[in-house]
């Protein structure tokens, strides 16, 4: 679907996210013909810039990061709607000028005044910006014109601050006009979890505590945190991605079937499952926390976190986090959900692995099943997007030896259609007013409620363990699963 008449205002245009993701995504949408004819992009920042300077920034980020090829005609059309408003967040005049620009764009380009405000700024600045949007009349929707606000994580630091933040935003924008970005929900493979589960008869009957032994949700990255200290120091891996991306993956994996894919129905199921999820105690045994040390990774010498520029020399920020959760419902009682994430790990991979119980009886002698693991269904979110099933198979030959094999579905092989980038999909949904893929305030608060006890425990109990770059995290992470005779997958 093509978005109706509209424009997008970005706060924080000079930030990384804006340059690497937002502007390229807007160009890609234009390239695919999904933006309305008079679409307008307004940048708001302190720099002393004219429209043209901002246009150059957009041009350069598109040239560097867009996924679709650069076409002069697409660019020229987009560039006609680019404007810049100079000012700081506490400057009333600047917001009045922004309001005037939005009115002018309606008159000149027929945006209908429909505007989404993208807050790609530190959360500390949300209150002042939302207040300014209210004061200048920019937040006001009426029957004909819509106004929406898009906010980037972190949605708070804990439950209390998230509630405060939601309060501030909801004072100005009604919940249906608030679009919280969790870019994992924009990924095809994440949405496919729902298709896999609810479009098929095969998986759902065994998707429960009777058959599932445990679930492992992994988001591993091989990169470090050079250049991101300002955002990451004091935040850490759990707040950065478990609170949002990994808990959303858990919600998709564990939730009940929604009565429809209508936004309200889908979100209601996510709220239910998150509301039933708890961190398993004692945290000394069920969680792990690490920080990468310096060393060698992929043949290159890399610094440890404490040597990365900008991090406090005694920073206890974790770059690896693992937690054990339980979903307290009839379907999942007793099934551990292990969530882990880390920077500078062995490779970049995000996956959900549903590991099944062993067959109750094996009519083979034990030597012939030595290499037999547990059946597993692995949803590979990235890279090599796809789904893999692991099961035992007879080894060709005269004996009845059984060994694990895998059956693989890869997006690249099965489809010729290409996946839109997550931000492309989500920005388009904002313009369309399609909220399904955006967490509601309740989901955000429930996610903090799950994580807060672990974060409190970590705050009181010492420092993260060190782990070498290129490894799979600290020793305590291995012990966490070994205690119950399980082990982490090595993707
Ligand atoms: C972001 C986190 O939300 O997701 C980053 O803040 C992380 O720390 C990034 O690197 C990973 O995103 P993706 O899409 O590359 O998995």
């Amino acid at each position: 679907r093509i978005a109706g008449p509209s424009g997008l205002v970005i706060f924080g245009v000079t930030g990384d996210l804006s340059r690497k993701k937002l502007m390229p995504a807007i160009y890609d949408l234009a390239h695919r013909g999904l933006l309305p004819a008079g679409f307008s992009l307004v940048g708001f920042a302190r720099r002393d810039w004219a429209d043209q300077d901002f246009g150059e920034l957009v041009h350069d980020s598109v040239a560097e990061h867009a996924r679709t090829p650069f076409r002069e005609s697409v660019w020229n059309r987009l560039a006609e709607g680019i404007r810049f408003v100079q000012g700081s967040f506490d400057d009333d005049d600047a917001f009045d000028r922004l309001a005037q620009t939005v009115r002018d764009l309606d008159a000149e380009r027929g945006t209908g005044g429909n505007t989404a405000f993208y807050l790609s700024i530190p959360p500390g600045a949300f209150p002042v910006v939302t207040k300014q949007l209210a004061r200048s009349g920019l937040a006001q929707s009426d029957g004909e014109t819509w106004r929406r606000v898009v906010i980037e994580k972190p949605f708070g630091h804990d439950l209390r601050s998230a509630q405060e933040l939601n309060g501030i935003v909801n004072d100005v924008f009604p919940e249906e006009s608030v679009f919280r970005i969790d870019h994992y929900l924009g990924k095809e493979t994440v949405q496919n979890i729902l298709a896999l589960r609810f479009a098929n008869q095969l998986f759902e009957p065994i998707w429960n505590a009777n058959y599932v032994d445990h679930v492992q949700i992994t988001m591993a990255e091989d990169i470090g945190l050079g250049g991101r200290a300002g955002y990451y120091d004091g935040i850490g891996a759990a707040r950065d991605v478990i609170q949002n991306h990994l808990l959303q993956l858990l919600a998709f994996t564990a939730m009940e079937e929604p009565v429809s894919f209508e936004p309200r129905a889908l979100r209601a199921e996510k709220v239910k499952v998150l509301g039933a999820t708890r961190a398993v105690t004692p945290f000394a045994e069920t969680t792990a926390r690490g920080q990468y040390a310096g060393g060698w990774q992929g043949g290159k010498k890399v610094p440890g976190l404490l040597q990365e520029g900008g991090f406090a020399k005694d920073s206890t920020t974790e770059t690896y986090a693992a937690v054990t959760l339980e979903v307290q419902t009839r379907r999942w009682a007793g099934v551990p959900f292990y969530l882990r994430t880390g920077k500078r790990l062995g490779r970049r991979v995000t996956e959900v692995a549903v590991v099944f119980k062993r067959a109750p009886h094996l009519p083979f002698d034990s030597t012939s099943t030595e290499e037999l693991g547990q059946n597993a269904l692995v949803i590979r979110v990235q890279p090599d997007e796809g789904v893999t099933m692991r099961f035992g198979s007879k080894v060709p030959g005269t004996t009845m030896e059984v060994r694990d094999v895998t059956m693989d579905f890869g997006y690249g092989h099965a489809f010729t259609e290409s996946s839109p980038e997550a931000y492309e999909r989500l920005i388009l949904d904002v313009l369309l007013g399609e909220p399904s893929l955006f967490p509601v305030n309740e989901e955000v608060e429930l996610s903090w409620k799950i994580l807060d006890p672990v974060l409190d425990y970590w705050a009181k109990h010492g420092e993260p363990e060190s782990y070498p770059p290129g490894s799979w995290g600290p020793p305590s992470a291995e012990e966490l699963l070994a205690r119950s005779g399980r082990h982490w997958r090595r993707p």
Side-chain angles (χ1 to χ4, degrees), residues 34-113:
L34 297 171
L35 294 183
F39 179 80
S40 308
L41 172 64
V42 183
F44 183 105
R46 256 196 309 248
R47 306 221 174 160
D48 191 12
W49 273 355
D51 293 345
Q52 208 184 341
D53 302 305
F54 175 50
E56 275 169 29
L57 174 78
V58 182
H59 179 278
D60 294 348
S61 31
V62 167
E64 198 177 340
H65 300 288
R67 305 207 331 165
T68 54
F70 191 83
R71 279 223 318 259
E72 241 10 271
S73 56
V74 176
W75 169 251
N76 290 340
R77 227 174 315 126
L78 190 64
E80 282 168 18
I82 291 182
R83 302 286 184 278
F84 183 75
V85 175
Q86 193 268 332
S88 58
F89 298 153
D90 54 7
D91 177 356
D92 291 0
D93 289 347
F95 278 81
D96 293 339
R97 285 199 302 278
L98 178 62
Q100 188 56 47
T101 304
V102 166
R103 282 191 293 273
D104 292 348
L105 284 168
D106 179 21
E108 291 163 27
R109 300 181 53 81
T111 58

Side-chain angles (χ1 to χ4, degrees), residues 248-309:
Q248 287 289 326
L249 287 175
L250 176 141
F252 272 28
T253 307
M255 69 185 222
E256 297 303 316
E257 181 176 293
V259 288
S260 73
F261 278 101
E262 201 255 317
R264 198 171 306 184
L266 179 64
R267 288 152 136 193
E269 292 306 334
K270 283 202 284 167
V271 165
K272 256 164 59 186
V273 75
L274 290 170
T277 304
R278 303 276 177 277
V280 177
T281 54
F283 296 137
E285 293 178 10
T286 58
T287 70
R289 187 169 180 252
Q291 190 181 72
Y292 63 80
W296 291 86
Q297 186 183 22
K300 262 178 49 192
K301 196 154 177 41
V302 293
L305 184 82
L306 301 183
Q307 288 87 52
E308 301 273 21

Side-chain angles (χ1 to χ4, degrees), residues 153 183-184 187 219 221 228 240 245 343 348 382:
K153 73 182 179 69
H183 79 281
Y184 265 59
K187 293 183 192 271
M219 175 182 172
E221 292 181 285
R228 287 191 73 204
D240 183 35
H245 307 328
K343 304 277 183 192
R348 172 175 182 255
Q382 64 189 26

Side-chain angles (χ1 to χ4, degrees), residues 21 152-153 182-184 187 219-221 223 225 228 231-232 240-241 244-245 343 348 350 381-382 421-423:
K21 298 285 183 187
E152 272 288 342
K153 73 182 179 69
D182 183 318
H183 79 281
Y184 265 59
K187 293 183 192 271
M219 175 182 172
E221 292 181 285
I223 51 169
L225 285 154
R228 287 191 73 204
Y231 161 72
Y232 204 90
D240 183 35
V241 302
N244 36 74
H245 307 328
K343 304 277 183 192
R348 172 175 182 255
T350 298
V381 172
Q382 64 189 26
E421 217 273 326
Y423 275 95

